Amino acid sequence: MTTTLRERAIVSLRSAPSLPRHVRIHYDPVRLAFAVLAPEKVFWPNDISLDILRRCDGQSTVERIIADLAADYDADPQDVADDVIAFLQEWSDKLLVKL
């Protein structure tokens, strides 16, 4: 039996992240919160993480996502960039975001 390792995707400002078909955002009316559902996994993202994930439409680049979030939160784009890139890299490594 051979095991194939996948090459790690690295986030760049030109990446256009999207959610894979097996990952979806779902509102839970019991908890009054949004969950991210993946096979046999449930994540409860905070509001900022949810804002990032909602922008992962396969069209918007990471650079655009950062600019939009910086504007929405009246924050320094570089501070936003560090957090967004780290978040997307972590979720990509877990196969929850496609780059």
Side-chain angles (χ1 to χ4, degrees), residues 6-21:
R6 85 174 174 95
E7 189 172 323
R8 183 181 189 215
I10 303 297
V11 176
S12 78
L13 293 177
R14 293 182 300 171
S15 300
S18 64
L19 299 182
R21 289 186 342 179

Side-chain angles (χ1 to χ4, degrees), residues 4-74:
T4 318
L5 296 176
R6 85 174 174 95
E7 189 172 323
R8 183 181 189 215
I10 303 297
V11 176
S12 78
L13 293 177
R14 293 182 300 171
S15 300
S18 64
L19 299 182
R21 289 186 342 179
H22 68 275
V23 176
R24 64 187 173 98
I25 298 171
H26 173 76
Y27 183 73
D28 183 333
V30 174
R31 291 196 169 125
L32 303 175
F34 285 92
V36 176
L37 306 178
E40 300 183 25
K41 296 177 186 161
V42 177
F43 300 90
W44 298 97
N46 63 29
D47 289 341
I48 295 172
S49 297
L50 198 56
D51 279 350
I52 295 170
L53 292 170
R54 285 185 173 137
R55 288 172 163 85
C56 293
D57 58 10
Q59 303 296 315
S60 301
T61 64
V62 172
E63 186 172 38
R64 168 62 28 212
I65 292 170
I66 290 166
D68 290 348
L69 287 168
D72 288 354
Y73 287 94
D74 193 26

Side-chain angles (χ1 to χ4, degrees), residues 58-97:
Q59 303 296 315
S60 301
T61 64
V62 172
E63 186 172 38
R64 168 62 28 212
I65 292 170
I66 290 166
D68 290 348
L69 287 168
D72 288 354
Y73 287 94
D74 193 26
D76 177 9
Q78 188 55 52
D79 292 340
V80 172
D82 295 341
D83 291 341
V84 169
I85 290 170
F87 175 82
L88 290 174
Q89 189 63 64
E90 179 183 345
W91 279 58
S92 171
D93 290 347
K94 293 178 180 176
L95 305 178
L96 298 169
V97 169

